[in-house]
Amino acid sequence: MTSYELLLVLAHREASLVDEGRWADVVALWDQRDALQATLPETPPAGAGPALQEALDVVRATEARLRAELADVSAELRRLAEPRRPAMAYSQSSMSPRS
């Protein structure tokens, strides 16, 4: 297996880990991918094109899923940060002095 084919394998593995929500493993895989990329020549050989293109396609799809996941988490955090209006209204009315 060439280094470029291994990049493709890592791209597919990353996609699987993201799908499973295994974030620590994703980060560890990034370290592995970075180390592999550091060993590659600046200009890849012509034969590496198909593996690199497929890896790029997989990584782009994974990045899109990560962006969507981040948007969902951000929305949930915003929702959790909002005051609980019905509960607050109830607690304020129950604390009012009665006449």
Side-chain angles (χ1 to χ4, degrees):
M1 174 179 295
T2 70
S3 296
Y4 300 99
E5 292 167 332
L6 183 54
L7 278 176
L8 176 56
V9 168
L10 291 176
H12 283 291
R13 179 74 180 133
E14 177 186 35
S16 295
L17 292 171
V18 167
D19 288 344
E20 296 168 13
R22 295 174 50 193
W23 309 118
D25 293 332
V26 170
V27 172
L29 185 136
W30 289 343
D31 292 341
Q32 186 180 0
R33 183 186 61 204
D34 290 346
L36 175 60
Q37 287 176 324
T39 69
L40 299 175
E42 190 171 317
T43 304
L52 285 173
Q53 184 59 55
E54 186 176 348
L56 179 61
D57 293 344
V58 172
V59 168
R60 283 182 175 160
T62 301
E63 287 176 351
R65 286 197 306 278
L66 285 170
R67 279 191 298 277
E69 182 75 24
L70 181 59
D72 289 346
V73 169
S74 294
E76 181 67 11
L77 288 172
R78 281 190 304 277
R79 187 189 67 76
L80 291 171
E82 291 177 3
R84 304 282 185 213
R85 288 181 182 89
M88 290 180 71
Y90 176 78
S91 67
Q92 290 171 353
S93 67
S94 66
M95 297 170 83
S96 306
R98 297 186 180 197
S99 319

